[in-house]
C-alpha cells in the first residue's frame, strides 16, 4: 500500500469519526408551534415548562407564543387553519370546547394522536371532573387538560377582623355571605363587601353545578347540540334578584365582565370575591393583607346542594395542517406526555393555584407538605371532588359559549342598572342565547 493511499484511508477514518460526533449536534430538531393565551405571570411559568421540555430531549423544539386573550387566541388559530398554517398546539379556554369538537378536520383528537404516535396514554390519570369535560360521551378524550381551575371564594381576613367577624369562619351560605358583606361595609373595613370576577362563570355556570340545577338541557349540552338554556328557572331568577338587592343595599358591587373584577381583591378594594383559583398567584404577589380561601356559598334550602364545582381554565388542542408530518405529531404527543408527569402537574399547581389535574400530581403535592405550609391551597381540588359529578355538575358543552356569556352579562347588567327585572333579564338571556345555539347547531350538524 502506497503512502498516498494509506494517508487517504486515515483521512477518511478521521472524517467519519468527526461525523459521528458532529451529526447529532447538528441534527435539526423538529419545530413545533404552540400558541397560548396566558399573560404574565402565568405565561412565563408555562413557557418555563416548555423550555424544560425542550431541554429534556434532542428531537423536538416547541416554540411557545403568547397570542393574547383566550378569545384572541381562538380567532388567530381559526384564521391560521384556514390559511393552511395552523400551530401544532393551541391553548383553548374551556368554553371553546364545543367549537373545537365541531371543527372536525381542523383537529386531531387526543385519543387518536396518542394511538398513532404510539405514545402510552391512560385517560384515567386525570380526575373525573377534568377528564369528563374534555371527553366524548363514550370516554374518548379530545384534548389535553393543563391549566384547569375552578371558582372559589377569596376573602380578606384583615377586613373580617375590622368588621368584628371571625377570620377563620368564612361564609358558607349566601345568607351568611350577605351578612358578612353588610358588616364589612358598615365598619368601612373595605370599599366593597362582595364582588365577582367572570360573572357568568361564577354566578351562573358554577352556581348551577353546585346547586345541581341545569344550566341547559341535554346535560348542559354534553349529550347533544340541540340543547336549550334553562337559566330562567326560579333558582336563577332568585339569585339575580339577590345580587340586585345586595347592590341596592351596598353590600355587592358588579366588577365588570370576564376577568375585569380580578383586580378588586388583591388591591384590597373588595373584601370578598368569587374568582378563579388561578387568581392565587396574583394574590400572593400583590396582596398586602392576610387572606383566606373558602368554597363557594350555596342556598341551604336547595335540596342536594352543595355539589362539586366545575372546571374552567383551558386545555391543549392538536391542530392539523396540509403538510404536517407523522414526526411532528409524534413530537406533540411526547410534549403531552411530558406535561402529564406528576412532577410537572404538581409544580404547575403549586406555582399558579390551578388545580392538580391528575391523582398522581395531587399525591405528590400532598407528600411534599405544601398543603400544610399553605392552608387552603388544596381547597379548590376538594371542592371539585367533593361529590360524584351529576348530569348538572359534569360541566357544559354549549356552542359559541363565549357569545352566550356576553349575552348573559348584557342582560345581567341591565337588571343591575334597574332597566329590567331579574325575571326579564333571564328570559331575555334565554331567548337570545338559544338563537346562538340554534345557529351553531345548523352550522355544525354532521
Amino acid at each position: 500500500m502506497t503512502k498516498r493511499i494509506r494517508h487517504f484511508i486515515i483521512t477518511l477514518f478521521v472524517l467519519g469519526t468527526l461525523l459521528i460526533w458532529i451529526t447529532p449536534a447538528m441534527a435539526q430538531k423538529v419545530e413545533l408551534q404552540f400558541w397560548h393565551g396566558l399573560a404574565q405571570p402565568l405565561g412565563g411559568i408555562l413557557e418555563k415548562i416548555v423550555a424544560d421540555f425542550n431541554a429534556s430531549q434532542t428531537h423536538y423544539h416547541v416554540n411557545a407564543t403568547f397570542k393574547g386573550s383566550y378569545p384572541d387566541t381562538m380567532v388567530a388559530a381559526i384564521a391560521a387553519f384556514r390559511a393552511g398554517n395552523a400551530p401544532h398546539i393551541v391553548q383553548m379556554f374551556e368554553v371553546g370546547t364545543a367549537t373545537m369538537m365541531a371543527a372536525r378536520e381542523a383537529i386531531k383528537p387526543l385519543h387518536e394522536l396518542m394511538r398513532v404516535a404510539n405514545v402510552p396514554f391512560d385517560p384515567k390519570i386525570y380526575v373525573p371532573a377534568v377528564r369528563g369535560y374534555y371527553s366524548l360521551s363514550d370516554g374518548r378524550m379530545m384534548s389535553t387538560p393543563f391549566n384547569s381551575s375552578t371558582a372559589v371564594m377569596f376573602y380578606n381576613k384583615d377586613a373580617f377582623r375590622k368588621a368584628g367577624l371571625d377570620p377563620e369562619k368564612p361564609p358558607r351560605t349566601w345568607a351568611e355571605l350577605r351578612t358578612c358583606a353588610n358588616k364589612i361595609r358598615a365598619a368601612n373595613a373595605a370599599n366593597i363587601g362582595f364582588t365577582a370576577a367572570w360573572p357568568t362563570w361564577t354566578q351562573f355556570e358554577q352556581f348551577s353545578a353546585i346547586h345541581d340545577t341545569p344550566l341547559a338541557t341535554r346535560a348542559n349540552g354534553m349529550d347533544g347540540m340541540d340543547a336549550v338554556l334553562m337559566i330562567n328557572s326560579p333558582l336563577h331568577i332568585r339569585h339575580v334578584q339577590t345580587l340586585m338587592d345586595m347592590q341596592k343595599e351596598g353590600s355587592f358591587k358588579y366588577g365588570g365582565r370576564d376577568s375585569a373584577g380580578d383586580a378588586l381583591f388583591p388591591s384590597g378594594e373588595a373584601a370578598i370575591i368569587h374568582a378563579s383559583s388561578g387568581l392565587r398567584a396574583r394574590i400572593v404577589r400583590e396582596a398586602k393583607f392576610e387572606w383566606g380561601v373558602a368554597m363557594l356559598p350555596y342556598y341551604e334550602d336547595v335540596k342536594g346542594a352543595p355539589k362539586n364545582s366545575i372546571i374552567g381554565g383551558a386545555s391543549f388542542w392538536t391542530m392539523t395542517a396540509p403538510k404536517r408530518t407523522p414526526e411532528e405529531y409524534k413530537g406533540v404527543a411526547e410534549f403531552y406526555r411530558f406535561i402529564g408527569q406528576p412532577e410537572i402537574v404538581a409544580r404547575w399547581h403549586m406555582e399558579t393555584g390551578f388545580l392538580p389535574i391528575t391523582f398522581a400530581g395531587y399525591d405528590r403535592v400532598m407528600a411534599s407538605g405544601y398543603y400544610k405550609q399553605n392552608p387552603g391551597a388544596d381547597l379548590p381540588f376538594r371542592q371539585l371532588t367533593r361529590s360524584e359529578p351529576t348530569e348538572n355538575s359534569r360541566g357544559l358543552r354549549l356552542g359559541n359559549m363565549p357569545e352566550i356569556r356576553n349575552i348573559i352579562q348584557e342582560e345581567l347588567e341591565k337588571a343591575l342598572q334597574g332597566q329590567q327585572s331579574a325575571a326579564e333579564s333571564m328570559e331575555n338571556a334565554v331567548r337570545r342565547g338559544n338563537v346562538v345555539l340554534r345557529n351553531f347547531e345548523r352550522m355544525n350538524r354532521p
Side-chain angles (χ1 to χ4, degrees):
M1 182 183 298
T2 66
K3 184 182 291 186
R4 180 176 295 178
I5 294 175
R6 188 163 53 247
H7 183 267
F8 178 70
I9 292 173
I10 292 172
T11 301
L12 287 177
F13 175 77
V14 172
L15 287 172
T17 303
L18 286 172
L19 285 172
I20 290 173
W21 286 95
I22 293 172
T23 300
M26 295 181 63
Q28 189 172 3
K29 292 185 178 182
V30 177
E31 295 285 325
L32 306 173
Q33 304 304 320
F34 168 36
W35 292 359
H36 71 84
L38 291 179
Q40 298 293 1
L42 298 175
I45 299 171
L46 170 59
E47 289 170 7
K48 178 62 170 63
I49 290 174
V50 172
D52 289 345
F53 168 74
N54 291 336
S56 72
Q57 42 71 48
T58 59
H59 300 296
Y60 311 103
H61 187 273
V62 176
N63 297 303
T65 305
F66 174 59
K67 300 297 286 187
S69 67
Y70 284 145
D72 290 340
T73 303
M74 172 186 274
V75 170
I78 292 171
F81 171 75
R82 289 172 178 166
N85 57 0
H88 297 79
I89 307 166
V90 64
Q91 182 187 38
M92 194 65 60
F93 56 167
E94 89 286 6
V95 291
T97 300
T99 300
M100 294 301 287
M101 284 188 175
R104 299 187 185 91
E105 71 277 4
I107 64 164
K108 183 174 283 291
L110 176 63
H111 66 87
E112 179 184 327
L113 171 77
M114 303 306 267
R115 177 178 55 80
V116 299
N118 197 30
V119 172
F121 174 67
D122 180 7
K124 292 182 180 179
I125 68 171
Y126 297 101
V127 299
V130 173
R131 181 175 70 241
Y133 202 105
Y134 299 115
S135 298
L136 298 175
S137 57
D138 60 11
R140 290 178 296 167
M141 290 188 72
M142 299 294 284
S143 64
T144 303
F146 183 69
N147 58 308
S148 292
S149 61
T150 194
V152 294
M153 179 167 60
F154 294 103
Y155 67 101
N156 184 327
K157 289 188 175 183
D158 290 350
F160 268 53
R161 292 188 184 95
K162 189 174 180 180
L165 298 166
D166 188 340
E168 304 307 322
K169 291 185 178 180
R172 298 176 306 104
T173 67
W174 274 99
E176 291 175 2
L177 184 151
R178 189 170 179 177
T179 297
C180 289
N182 273 312
K183 288 184 176 181
I184 288 166
R185 285 303 302 127
N188 199 27
N191 292 333
I192 301 169
F194 163 64
T195 191
W198 296 99
T200 56
W201 185 52
T202 59
Q203 304 307 306
F204 292 92
E205 297 162 37
Q206 297 284 357
F207 176 86
S208 299
I210 286 173
H211 291 88
D212 200 16
T213 298
L215 184 84
T217 60
R218 301 285 280 160
N220 293 336
M222 289 277 194
D223 291 344
M225 285 190 281
D226 54 340
V228 296
L229 293 172
M230 297 186 70
I231 54 175
N232 55 350
S233 74
L235 181 60
H236 289 100
I237 293 171
R238 170 189 177 184
H239 187 53
V240 172
Q241 186 63 55
T242 296
L243 296 177
M244 293 169 66
D245 293 344
M246 289 180 68
Q247 178 182 258
K248 187 175 181 179
E249 71 191 13
S251 61
F252 166 70
K253 182 176 180 179
Y254 180 64
R257 299 185 184 185
D258 298 336
S259 63
D262 279 346
L264 295 174
F265 184 76
S267 68
E269 279 286 298
I272 304 171
I273 189 172
H274 293 173
S276 168
S277 58
L279 184 61
R280 184 184 184 94
R282 180 174 178 180
I283 297 172
V284 168
R285 189 176 78 253
E286 298 179 11
K288 306 299 183 185
F289 51 85
E290 187 182 359
W291 53 274
V293 60
M295 294 187 184
L296 293 174
Y298 59 96
Y299 291 104
E300 55 188 337
D301 59 337
V302 174
K303 186 178 180 180
K307 288 288 190 288
N308 63 284
S309 58
I310 58 176
I311 65 168
S315 65
F316 297 164
W317 291 81
T318 308
M319 299 198 72
T320 62
K323 296 182 180 180
R324 197 133 294 166
T325 66
E327 187 61 24
E328 290 173 86
Y329 286 123
K330 171 77 170 175
V332 172
E334 290 292 351
F335 176 64
Y336 290 161
R337 174 158 62 173
F338 179 84
I339 63 173
Q341 296 177 102
E343 57 268 31
I344 300 298
V345 172
R347 168 181 154 192
W348 174 255
H349 163 59
M350 290 187 286
E351 292 185 4
T352 67
F354 280 100
L355 296 164
I357 57 176
T358 67
F359 291 109
Y362 177 74
D363 290 343
R364 181 170 287 252
V365 179
M366 281 284 290
S368 73
Y370 176 78
Y371 292 137
K372 289 184 179 179
Q373 299 163 12
N374 297 271
D378 63 334
L379 185 139
F381 185 88
R382 289 191 285 113
Q383 180 182 260
L384 190 76
T385 58
R386 69 179 165 190
S387 67
E388 191 68 26
T390 71
E391 188 174 89
N392 299 318
S393 68
R394 194 171 45 158
L396 58 128
R397 193 168 296 152
L398 301 173
N400 289 336
M401 189 61 190
E403 184 177 350
I404 294 173
R405 276 184 169 178
N406 282 336
I407 289 171
I408 297 172
Q409 287 173 150
E410 288 173 4
E411 298 300 337
L412 174 63
E413 287 165 356
K414 290 179 182 177
L416 293 172
Q417 292 163 5
Q419 299 178 27
Q420 59 190 12
S421 68
E424 288 170 334
S425 68
M426 292 299 93
E427 291 292 344
N428 290 337
V430 166
R431 174 181 52 79
R432 295 175 60 198
N434 283 340
V435 171
V436 174
L437 290 175
R438 298 292 71 78
N439 289 337
F440 180 84
E441 182 183 12
R442 281 192 292 271
M443 291 176 62
N444 293 286
R445 276 293 183 197

